[in-house]
Amino acid sequence: MATQRTSIHGQWSSRLVFILAATGSAVGLGNIWKFPYITGEHGGGAFVLVYLLCIALVGIPIMIAEVMLGRRGRQSPINTMRSLLAEEGAHRGWSLLGWSGMIAGFLILSYYSVIAGWALAYVFRTGSGLFVGATADGVSAIFGEFAGSPERLLGWHTLFMLMTMIVVARGVRSGLEQAVKFLMPALLVILLLLVGYAMASGDFMHGVRFLFQPDFSRLDQGAILVAMGHAFFTLSLGMGSIMVYGSYLPKEASIASSAVIIALADTAVALLAGMAIFPIVFGNGLEAGAGPSLIFQTLPLAFGQMPWGSFIGGLFFVLLVFAAWSSAISLIEPAVSWLVENRGWSRVYASTMTGAVTWALGIASIFSFSGVTLQDIILSLVGGEGEPAAGGLLAMTVFDILDYLTANIMLPLGGLFIALFAGHVMSRESVREELAMRSPLMFRLWFGTVRTVTPVLVVLVFLSAIGVIGGE
Ligand code: PFF
């Protein structure tokens, strides 16, 4: 079966627009909210090193493969996989890749939107001067009170989901394309400003040592899986987001160099965020392992002390919301494009329905931040009483479960199968033709990596996390 030359959903106007959109998808809460807090939880330097290795050896090769599949298939991930497997005469089971990606997108967006809602709320809180002169304890208390009030979180989650659905309904290409062009550079400027502030007033060297001086005694097997999972999460890989963006990429545009640029930009933003946050953490005696609340407890403190802090802080959270927004739309695009293709739904209807489902799922995560565990939810549904679970799944919150399941399991598995499909199922000729790399040596290097190094690494990390290898 021959593949189409262009997608029915349209096409990016240039390679630069694709790079901006994909960077918009990649740079988001993952870089500024999640990277610092998981680095803090897993002891710093050694974790960062493993993460950087995963970006280079797993992330970039898979990103090239995922964009390549998208551009060759030119449809939603599910239909792209279907037409590619027909073209290559492969087993029908490969279409599961598209399905699992679509489900991962729903699950991630459901909690992503709740956290983006926090950032929205903090635009107004910081902008109104709430944190001026506040102490570290004061800032933590304000956050604790906010995160523990489900109705407020629901309001902000609802607002963010509405914003996301509006852009997706209008078509990803119009609207946000323009915004991303200006907002991404602006975010970078404020981040640099924050790093400057951290240099001047925080414990900068302590922060930098924490981030870049590896202490391998603090790295356990679980941390390696989290670092690898985060490489997928932060680059938006393994679930079809980057594949669907690749399906709108013009034929002539070079895929490999675009992927490298996107990954470098994404990594730079994460490292800058870490360099802004940890000096403030150590300079104020805060807890590096504070978890998901980390940036909401550290940055307001800085904004409360610096001149023009309320204005700069308000602006920072506006930009963070935009970064989250451009990621959120890419999380739901695989599902919407599939509904338009297969069900004949209009974009507006498809976005409304997917948005409503995601919004409802998100409610389960909202209660996680008041300390409600899976066991509490089950007991309240069946109407029983029981001892609080001491550990395991039942003692986890819905947010923790969804985050673990998607970032550490579903995305790496999706990525593994993308690498296997590109490296072993597709014919070398199709792959070479689609990538059209100028240097045969680079092609061989990438192809060798994606066929062997990348899949082997992903499998090894999985095996070590479940204790099959390397356990004490
Ligand atoms: N990469 C985004 C971030 O770092 O915030 C999150 C994300 C977007 C993950 C799209 C997965 C995805 F498909």
Side-chain angles (χ1 to χ4, degrees):
M1 187 161 83
T3 44
Q4 302 154 249
R5 277 199 58 81
T6 52
S7 162
I8 60 161
H9 308 281
Q11 168 158 296
W12 306 112
S13 37
S14 67
R15 180 176 87 119
L16 180 65
V17 173
F18 164 73
I19 292 180
L20 285 171
T23 307
S25 164
V27 173
L29 294 172
N31 306 61
I32 292 172
W33 161 74
K34 191 172 178 188
F35 171 74
Y37 95 70
I38 55 177
T39 299
E41 284 179 339
H42 296 287
F47 178 85
V48 173
L49 188 66
V50 175
Y51 158 76
L52 292 175
L53 284 174
C54 289
I55 294 279
L57 296 175
V58 178
I60 295 179
I62 290 183
M63 186 183 277
I64 295 175
E66 191 170 336
V67 175
M68 184 270 294
L69 296 185
R71 187 167 70 182
R72 196 154 181 88
R74 292 255 171 248
Q75 298 152 76
S76 64
I78 294 180
N79 290 336
T80 283
M81 287 313 296
R82 281 197 184 135
S83 66
L84 291 182
L85 68 89
E87 193 175 293
E88 306 290 339
H91 190 273
R92 285 185 49 198
W94 285 100
S95 62
L96 281 178
L97 194 54
W99 284 100
S100 89
M102 197 165 89
I103 294 167
F106 276 110
L107 297 179
I108 296 176
L109 186 56
S110 75
Y111 68 82
Y112 200 84
S113 164
V114 175
I115 311 293
W118 297 1
L120 258 179
Y122 268 65
V123 170
F124 300 97
R125 302 176 140 230
T126 314
S128 67
L130 181 64
F131 299 110
V132 174
T135 60
D137 286 343
V139 173
S140 300
I142 291 175
F143 181 80
E145 193 229 333
F146 171 66
S149 91
E151 52 310 331
R152 271 195 268 174
L153 300 195
L154 181 63
W156 293 111
H157 162 59
T158 308
L159 181 59
F160 186 79
M161 274 314 300
L162 283 173
M163 288 165 52
T164 304
M165 282 152 56
I166 289 170
V167 174
V168 178
R170 295 186 49 205
V172 168
R173 292 189 42 243
S174 54
L176 224 80
E177 227 177 77
Q178 287 309 98
V180 165
K181 245 182 233 174
F182 298 102
L183 295 166
M184 288 290 136
L187 181 66
L188 199 66
V189 171
I190 298 214
L191 268 181
L192 287 172
L193 198 86
L194 276 173
V195 174
Y197 175 81
M199 260 179 206
S201 64
D203 192 344
F204 192 66
M205 283 327 290
H206 191 166
V208 169
R209 272 200 308 276
F210 180 76
L211 270 177
F212 296 112
Q213 216 171 61
D215 171 1
F216 288 99
S217 66
R218 305 183 70 170
L219 196 68
D220 55 36
Q221 319 255 289
I224 297 179
L225 179 63
V226 175
M228 182 179 77
H230 188 63
F232 283 93
F233 185 88
T234 193
L235 295 178
S236 309
L237 296 177
M239 55 144 286
S241 279
I242 287 291
M243 194 186 290
V244 80
Y245 277 17
S247 74
Y248 309 148
L249 186 64
K251 197 78 199 157
E252 328 66 59
S254 146
I255 291 177
S257 59
S258 311
V260 173
I261 295 171
I262 297 161
L264 287 180
D266 186 82
T267 308
V269 172
L271 294 179
L272 282 176
M275 283 160 67
I277 286 159
F278 287 109
I280 301 175
V281 168
F282 297 120
N284 292 281
L286 294 165
E287 183 56 59
S293 61
L294 185 68
I295 66 159
F296 295 93
Q297 293 185 358
T298 47
L299 295 182
L301 193 63
F303 295 133
Q305 289 164 2
M306 65 170 76
W308 298 84
S310 302
F311 175 73
I312 297 174
L315 195 59
F316 170 83
F317 283 110
V318 168
L319 297 173
L320 183 58
V321 168
F322 271 99
W325 200 4
S326 55
S327 302
I329 59 173
S330 73
L331 278 161
I332 207 162
E333 180 66 13
V336 169
S337 58
W338 179 74
L339 289 168
V340 170
E341 283 167 12
N342 277 47
R343 295 271 175 272
W345 290 5
S346 68
R347 275 197 82 89
V348 174
Y349 189 58
S351 333
T352 310
M353 296 314 280
T354 46
V357 171
T358 319
W359 173 83
L361 266 176
I363 296 176
S365 290
I366 283 180
F367 289 96
S368 303
F369 302 102
S370 322
V372 175
T373 62
L374 183 61
Q375 185 186 33
D376 296 329
I377 296 180
I378 294 173
L379 288 180
S380 75
L381 290 178
V382 299
E385 271 180 41
E387 289 289 303
L393 202 61
L394 284 177
M396 288 172 82
T397 65
V398 170
F399 164 75
D400 288 334
I401 295 170
L402 289 182
D403 176 44
Y404 195 89
L405 176 71
T406 52
N408 299 348
I409 301 172
M410 294 179 85
L411 301 187
L413 267 185
L416 174 64
F417 284 106
I418 287 172
L420 293 176
F421 191 83
H424 297 273
V425 176
M426 280 179 80
S427 76
R428 198 185 170 101
E429 274 50 57
S430 315
V431 176
R432 196 205 307 270
E433 179 195 71
E434 194 59 47
L435 283 179
M437 284 194 195
R438 248 174 268 135
S439 144
L441 179 69
M442 288 310 286
F443 177 76
R444 250 181 285 143
L445 194 68
W446 168 79
F447 201 56
T449 310
V450 94
R451 271 171 76 85
T452 48
V453 179
T454 305
V456 167
L457 282 178
V458 175
V459 170
L460 285 180
V461 174
F462 273 139
L463 292 180
S464 84
I466 56 175
V468 175
I469 51 169
E472 319 51 283

